[in-house]
């Protein structure tokens, strides 16, 4: 479903991704590990279309279509979801109304009518409960003053609400306590199916113990230096990258 | 066939920019005694009103245009303006809507203000002012039954002279400043409201101002009196066609709240702002002042200012009655080359008076947006309190925002709390929202609406949604 071919990306005149190749099939879970600064967030941002991430060469196809020519919101509407490593705060914007608005943006692109307020509240309650998110968090401003873990849960909640086909999680596990990690991983596992693919960026084996990956890739200096199965993650966990 | 010209549709976003092709009757250009006499005659005014106008005009001759506002403005030639324009053959206000020219009904329909009572927003009475005359007032009889007077001021001058005489100029003195004095000399139409003792007005009252004719100034005058223990919520809306010239709008609005009375005055100002190069647009120089005359009275101003090339406007409260309260909630949005200099004055005269100021300025494009405010505590204003919060939001890097809060304090038991912030919509915030499926403009309006929600919520419910849309539309084209 996702093909990345010889991708070279420059940010602020610094080349970060170097000849990156990666293929993700339908329903597969790929984990990406790699030392700090190796370009993991950069590939996530590039796929999501962050401005100023300049693609010098290479191509990316999602479901057979050129991804790189699309605007960030079109990529989202086409099913790509990025859970941010550092979720952004939107002071003044209430979480509930924000969530409703993004849900409606997706409905609109499917030519559906805006969701009924009562119906939305019901879904929101259900999905929040799954993640152990208290409802009063939704009357606060988006991510503003949320703890690190709450921000991450809010990302997973949005992922659940938008029903994406390609999910990229950038260190969603960092900042979650042991219990929260389990709840969140359970919620993510519920989203696994034959149609939906995952890229899970993480530093820790413990997340992969909950969410079993089909492949593990090791990033170094902006490209994949090794690919394996979950045992590769265990090796890194024990011996590090050297 | 009634047709409404679309020639002036150069820009999609200002959807009120059409011109109604209706023959107008203007009195000759220029500002002199004869013109004032003619206006007074057209309005069938009693002698005292004409004298009042003429005395204002005499004072005007020694006054000059204020130059202090932070705006760049072309010299206005006051002799080169029309001071009165009405639809032709408009001798007398139609008795019923059936007699109103269908072109006018159609105009208001297009503006989203249907005047036929069966179609109007439930619970909102409308006075429709077209250039210099009021063309229709809805729900008048129904309001009459409970003693509420809601009519054009020209009608009030004839039918309720004792009330008008008593209160006109009592809040804004005739000689207050150049534009207020000019208005006193040449004012054409506007609304008059009187709420009798103890009556809570059961519906929103609103006036819809429309400038249609070219080279014409609109000088409306509104007077609202809330008698003891009464309550009224009033809303005004304004639009004008797109024209290359600048047009002058200089209104005076006076509010009087007696003991235990409350007036809530809301404005959604959407005069034509000029095009994206700064050509054309309305000069909106407005004097609005409320007097909390009685004890425990309250006046609350809410304004959403999105239009006009230049806005100078400082809706103020004079808190004379003990325990009286003044409030000012404002959203001012400027885009392209618009200039807004707006704020409020809270003059605390009585004991235990309170005021609250929430101002949200949003600037985009190459525009300039200034909050200018004065909080003043007089000697007798024991235990007076003010809270002021001024927030500015910048969209892009070429716009300007200024905050000029002044205070005068002669009372040593009073307190002022002031908070101010300036923020920018960051690219990171926009990208985050876009990653979730919102396009650039939706993302921006989400953040902007969040920024000014606190003020939008103060609007009467019927208008809050409209205002929210207006906020988004006003900023269209400002995201890269
Ligand atoms: N805007 C920028 N300007 C300059 N350098 C940048 C910019 N963004 C990222 N980089 C650099 O690109 C490199 C890759 O960063 P990236 O965030 O992709 O790393 P990462 O693998 O996600 O690291 P971590 O595990 O710490 O999250 C780093 O050296 C980083 O400093
Ligand atoms: Mg990273």
């Amino acid at each position: 479903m996702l093909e990345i071919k010889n991708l070279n990306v420059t940010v602020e005149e610094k080349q970060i991704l170097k000849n990156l190749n990666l293929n993700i099939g339908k329903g597969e879970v790929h984990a990406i590990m790699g030392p700090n600064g190796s370009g993991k967030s950069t590939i996530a941002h590039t796929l999501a279309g962050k401005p100023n991430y300049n693609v010098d060469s290479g191509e990316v196809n999602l479901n057979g279509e050129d991804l790189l020519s699309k605007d960030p919101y079109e990529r989202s509407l086409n099913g790509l979801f990025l859970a941010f490593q550092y979720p952004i705060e939107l002071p003044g914007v209430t979480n509930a109304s924000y969530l409703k608005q993004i849900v409606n943006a997706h409905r609109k692109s499917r030519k559906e009518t805006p969701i009924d307020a009562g119906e939305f509240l019901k879904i929101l309650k259900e999905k929040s409960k799954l993640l152990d998110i208290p409802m009063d968090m939704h009357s606060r401003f988006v991510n503003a003053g949320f703890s690190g873990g709450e921000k991450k849960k809010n990302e997973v909640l949005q992922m659940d609400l938008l029903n994406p086909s390609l999910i990229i999680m950038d260190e969603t596990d960092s900042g979650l306590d042991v219990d929260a990690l389990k709840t969140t991983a359970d919620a993510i596992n519920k989203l696994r199916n034959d149609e939906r693919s995952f890229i899970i960026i993480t530093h820790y084996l413990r997340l992969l113990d909950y969410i079993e990956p089909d492949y593990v890739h090791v990033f170094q200096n902006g490209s994949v230096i090794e690919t394996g199965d979950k045992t590769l993650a265990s090796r890194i966990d024990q011996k590090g990258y050297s | 066939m009634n047709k409404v010209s679309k020639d002036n549709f150069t820009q999609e976003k200002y959807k009120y920019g059409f011109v109604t092709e209706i023959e107008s009757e203007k009195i000759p250009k220029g500002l002199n005694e004869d013109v004032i006499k003619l206006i007074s005659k057209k309005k069938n005014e009693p002698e005292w009103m004409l004298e009042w106008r003429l005395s204002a005009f005499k004072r005007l001759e020694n006054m000059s245009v204020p130059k202090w506002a932070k705006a760049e403005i072309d010299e206005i030639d006051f002799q080169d303006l029309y001071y009165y324009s009405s639809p032709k053959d408009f001798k007398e206000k139609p008795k019923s809507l059936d007699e109103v020219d269908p072109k006018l009904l159609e105009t208001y329909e297009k503006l989203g203000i249907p005047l036929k009572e069966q179609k109007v927003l439930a619970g909102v009475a409308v006075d429709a002012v077209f250039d210099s005359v009021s063309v229709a007032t809805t729900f008048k009889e129904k309001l009459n039954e409970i003693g509420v007077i809601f009519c054009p001021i020209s009608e009030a001058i004839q039918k309720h002279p004792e009330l008008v005489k008593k209160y006109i100029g009592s809040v804004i003195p005739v000689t207050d400043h150049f534009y207020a004095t000019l208005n006193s000399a040449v004012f054409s139409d506007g609304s008059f409201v009187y709420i009798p003792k103890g009556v809570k007005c059961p519906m929103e009252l609103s006036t819809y101002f429309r400038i249609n004719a070219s080279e014409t100034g609109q000088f409306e005058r509104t007077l609202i009196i809330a008698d003891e223990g009464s309550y009224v919520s009033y809303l005004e809306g304004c639009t004008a066609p797109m024209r290359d010239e600048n047009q002058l709008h200089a209104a005076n609005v006076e509010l009087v709240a007696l003991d235990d009375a409350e007036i809530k005055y809301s404005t959604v100002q959407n005069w034509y702002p000029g095009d994206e190069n700064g050509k054309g647009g309305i000069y909106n120089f407005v004097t609005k002042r409320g007097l909390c005359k009685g004890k425990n009275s309250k006046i609350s101003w809410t304004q959403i200012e999105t239009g006009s090339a230049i806005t100078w406007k400082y809706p103020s409260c004079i808190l004379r009655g003990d325990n009286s309260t003044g409030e000012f909630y404002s959203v001012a949005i400027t885009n392209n080359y618009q200039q807004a200099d707006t704020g409020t004055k809270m003059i605390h005269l009585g004991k235990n008076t309170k005021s609250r100021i929430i101002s949200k300025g949003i600037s985009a494009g190459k525009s300039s947006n200034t909050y200018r405010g004065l909080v003043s505590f007089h000697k007798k204003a024991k235990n007076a309190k003010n809270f002021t919060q001024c927030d500015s939001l910048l969209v892009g890097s070429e716009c300007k925002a200024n905050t000029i809060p002044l205070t005068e304090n002669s009372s040593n038991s009073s307190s002022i709390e002031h908070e101010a912030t300036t923020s920018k919509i960051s690219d990171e915030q926009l990208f985050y929202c876009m990653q979730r499926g919102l396009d650039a403009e939706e993302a921006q309006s989400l953040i902007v609406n969040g920024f000014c929600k606190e003020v939008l919520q103060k609007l009467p419910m019927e208008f809050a949604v409209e205002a929210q849309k207006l906020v988004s539309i006003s900023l269209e084209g400002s995201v890269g």
Side-chain angles (χ1 to χ4, degrees):
Chain A
M1 82 166 322
L2 179 75
E3 300 165 309
I4 303 174
K5 284 186 223 157
N6 295 323
L7 191 64
N8 287 283
V9 172
T10 302
V11 185
E12 309 268 331
E13 289 172 12
K14 184 179 164 199
Q15 189 181 0
I16 302 190
L17 297 186
K18 294 165 192 159
N19 263 323
L20 179 73
N21 288 286
L22 202 61
N23 282 311
I24 314 259
K26 241 187 198 169
E28 292 175 359
V29 176
H30 291 239
I32 294 178
M33 304 183 80
N36 296 133
S38 57
K40 302 183 300 297
S41 293
T42 304
I43 182 61
H45 284 141
T46 305
L47 293 175
K50 191 167 180 183
N52 303 323
Y53 280 59
N54 300 310
V55 176
D56 302 325
S57 62
E59 49 179 289
V60 179
N61 294 307
L62 179 64
N63 296 323
E65 282 183 57
D66 173 34
L67 182 72
L68 299 175
S69 62
K70 292 194 161 82
D71 276 339
Y73 78 93
E74 294 170 318
R75 301 182 194 197
S76 166
L77 298 176
N78 285 342
L80 183 149
F81 186 95
L82 166 63
F84 282 51
Q85 181 174 2
Y86 305 108
I88 307 297
E89 303 187 356
L90 305 176
V93 182
T94 347
N95 206 42
S97 67
Y98 162 78
L99 295 174
K100 191 164 152 212
Q101 194 158 338
I102 62 176
V103 165
N104 280 334
H106 283 253
R107 289 174 69 101
K108 192 172 149 202
S109 79
R110 296 190 301 263
K111 307 223 161 22
E112 292 169 20
T113 53
I115 191 163
D116 167 79
E119 167 83 357
F120 176 71
L121 191 66
K122 203 180 118 218
I123 296 175
L124 187 61
K125 270 188 187 149
E126 227 168 75
K127 298 197 185 295
S128 300
K129 195 167 169 218
L130 216 60
L131 285 161
D132 216 2
I133 294 174
M135 283 307 280
D136 58 14
M137 205 171 90
H138 300 310
S139 43
R140 293 167 61 187
F141 299 146
V142 180
N143 295 329
F146 286 19
S147 75
E150 287 167 344
K151 284 183 183 173
K152 295 300 179 67
K153 283 186 178 182
N154 203 34
E155 294 291 283
V156 177
L157 176 66
Q158 292 172 60
M159 183 159 105
D160 194 359
L161 284 167
L162 296 184
N163 206 18
S165 54
L166 173 64
I167 291 172
I168 307 163
M169 284 189 276
D170 193 356
E171 297 198 25
T172 300
D173 53 336
S174 310
L176 293 174
D177 65 45
V178 264
D179 299 328
L181 180 69
K182 182 163 187 328
T183 332
T184 309
D186 285 346
I188 294 167
N189 274 329
K190 282 214 173 71
L191 294 176
R192 276 181 83 158
N193 64 35
D194 295 346
E195 299 294 311
R196 187 174 279 141
S197 313
F198 288 79
I199 298 174
I200 298 180
I201 299 170
T202 183
H203 288 296
Y204 306 108
L205 182 64
R206 52 173 199 176
L207 178 69
L208 304 179
D209 284 339
Y210 287 116
I211 307 168
E212 290 275 331
D214 301 306
Y215 300 91
V216 175
H217 308 279
V218 179
F219 256 55
Q220 186 102 53
N221 261 326
S223 57
V224 176
I225 54 156
E226 196 177 350
T227 294
D229 57 16
K230 206 193 142 197
T231 53
L232 178 55
S234 311
R235 195 190 81 206
I236 290 167
D237 190 51
Q238 282 161 24
K239 302 200 176 142
Y241 293 108
S242 44
Chain B
M1 265 305 277
N2 310 313
K3 56 175 195 286
V4 175
S5 142
K6 282 187 182 160
D7 300 349
N8 288 40
F9 261 114
T10 48
Q11 218 176 348
E12 272 273 52
K13 64 169 195 176
Y14 190 74
K15 63 174 176 176
Y16 308 107
F18 63 89
V19 177
T20 307
E21 283 180 357
I22 191 161
E23 257 188 284
S24 64
E25 201 173 313
K26 293 171 174 170
I27 62 179
K29 271 185 183 177
L31 180 60
N32 52 55
E33 284 204 1
D34 290 340
V35 162
I36 293 167
K37 283 177 183 158
L38 223 78
I39 294 173
S40 185
K41 194 162 161 231
K42 290 251 179 216
K43 302 273 177 198
N44 245 325
E45 285 177 353
E47 190 62 27
W48 62 267
M49 197 70 244
L50 174 62
E51 270 163 27
W52 196 80
R53 289 175 179 273
L54 290 173
S55 75
F57 180 64
K58 280 224 173 62
R59 305 296 289 264
L60 191 68
E61 288 174 328
N62 303 320
M63 296 170 87
S64 53
V65 176
K67 298 231 183 289
W68 46 271
K70 239 186 164 49
E72 287 161 35
I73 172 176
D74 293 338
E75 200 84 31
I76 300 171
D77 183 351
F78 290 95
Q79 295 304 337
D80 195 32
L81 284 180
Y82 292 108
Y83 286 85
Y84 184 91
S85 166
S86 73
K88 208 180 155 99
D89 301 325
F90 196 89
K91 294 275 176 319
E92 213 178 298
K93 188 173 166 178
K95 296 271 179 304
S96 80
L97 278 170
D98 301 334
E99 294 169 31
V100 176
D101 188 325
K103 279 185 195 173
L104 289 172
L105 291 180
E106 191 199 2
T107 299
Y108 284 91
E109 188 107 11
K110 274 191 75 141
L111 296 170
I113 319 286
L115 297 174
K116 296 264 189 203
E117 296 198 0
Q118 57 272 34
K119 285 198 199 165
V120 299
L121 283 167
V124 183
V126 179
D127 183 21
V129 177
F130 190 86
D131 290 330
S132 308
V133 294
S134 164
V135 294
T137 313
T138 62
F139 289 116
K140 233 166 101 180
E141 281 71 37
K142 193 169 170 212
L143 290 167
N144 248 332
E145 285 167 21
I146 48 166
V148 170
I149 305 171
F150 177 44
C151 68
I153 194 148
S154 52
E155 191 182 316
I157 290 167
Q158 296 176 39
K159 292 193 180 154
H160 310 282
E162 64 303 332
L163 281 171
V164 177
K165 238 187 214 169
K166 183 167 175 191
Y167 290 107
I168 195 168
S170 74
V171 187
I172 304 172
V174 172
T175 53
D176 201 70
H177 65 94
F178 181 86
Y179 289 106
T181 310
L182 175 65
N183 176 288
S184 301
V186 301
F187 75 87
S188 36
D189 229 331
S191 298
F192 176 83
V193 175
Y194 172 77
I195 314 290
K197 271 184 200 171
V199 171
K200 312 271 177 234
C201 188
M203 51 174 72
E204 299 283 337
L205 304 185
S206 80
T207 304
Y208 197 88
F209 294 100
R210 174 74 177 169
I211 299 181
N212 188 62
S214 65
E215 295 174 85
T216 303
Q218 193 177 51
F219 303 92
E220 90 261 4
R221 184 140 198 142
T222 292
L223 176 58
I224 300 178
I225 302 144
D227 213 326
E228 292 171 20
S230 68
Y231 168 84
V232 63
S233 169
Y234 176 93
L235 181 126
E236 61 170 356
C238 348
T239 59
M242 294 185 207
R243 297 187 188 278
D244 288 345
E245 41 170 307
N246 292 109
Q247 281 184 282
L248 179 62
H249 172 254
N252 279 10
V253 174
E254 295 178 283
L255 314 182
V256 181
L258 302 181
D259 287 359
D260 305 301
E262 177 175 354
I263 302 175
K264 191 171 149 50
Y265 191 106
S266 314
T267 304
V268 177
Q269 187 265 107
N270 188 20
W271 294 118
Y272 177 52
D275 69 11
E276 60 275 28
N277 301 313
K279 201 167 166 49
I282 302 287
Y283 288 165
N284 187 34
F285 305 154
V286 171
T287 308
K288 291 187 166 167
R289 201 170 298 163
L291 174 62
C292 281
K293 197 169 181 186
K295 61 178 169 45
N296 305 320
S297 56
K298 179 174 176 183
I299 289 179
S300 176
W301 298 99
T302 302
Q303 59 172 26
I304 311 299
E305 302 284 319
T306 63
S308 298
I310 301 179
T311 296
W312 293 348
K313 188 180 162 193
Y314 315 92
S316 304
C317 295
I318 301 167
L319 303 169
R320 184 183 295 159
D322 290 346
N323 306 316
S324 60
T325 304
E327 293 177 336
F328 175 73
Y329 298 101
S330 168
V331 171
I333 300 179
T334 53
N335 196 358
N336 298 318
Y337 287 87
Q338 281 177 275
Q339 305 171 56
D341 192 299
T342 185
T344 185
K345 286 187 212 166
M346 293 290 174
I347 312 295
H348 293 253
L349 303 176
K351 279 184 288 198
N352 303 320
T353 45
K354 287 196 288 290
S355 62
R356 183 177 169 82
I357 300 171
I358 308 284
S359 159
K360 306 275 180 178
I362 301 161
S363 11
K366 296 187 165 64
S367 68
S368 139
N369 201 326
T370 299
Y371 168 82
R372 188 188 298 274
L374 171 68
V375 176
S376 170
F377 293 126
H378 286 238
K379 250 212 202 79
K380 288 184 183 154
K382 290 212 168 61
N383 296 318
K385 283 192 180 63
N386 164 266
F387 174 77
T388 300
Q389 185 177 331
C390 298
D391 298 323
S392 309
L393 184 68
L394 305 174
V395 183
S397 52
E398 288 178 286
C399 50
K400 281 183 277 213
N402 303 288
T403 303
I404 308 172
L406 299 174
T407 49
E408 295 169 353
N409 195 349
S410 318
S411 154
N412 44 24
S413 55
S414 57
S415 81
I416 296 184
E417 228 182 296
H418 182 89
E419 289 172 11
T421 64
T422 301
S423 50
K424 249 190 96 134
I425 298 185
S426 73
D427 294 344
E428 301 278 335
Q429 289 174 320
L430 291 174
F431 174 62
Y432 184 70
C433 297
M434 290 191 274
Q435 206 304 300
R436 304 296 141 91
L438 306 183
D439 68 27
E441 297 201 327
E442 289 167 336
Q444 180 177 285
S445 73
L446 176 81
I447 296 168
V448 168
N449 271 302
F451 173 77
C452 51
K453 188 171 49 204
E454 191 181 350
V455 172
L456 294 180
Q457 281 169 345
K458 296 286 171 188
L459 285 176
M461 207 172 59
E462 293 88 339
F463 300 95
V465 177
E466 241 354 86
Q468 200 172 341
K469 278 190 213 143
L470 189 59
V471 165
S472 311
I473 291 168
S474 308
L475 289 167
E476 255 170 39
S478 63
V479 274

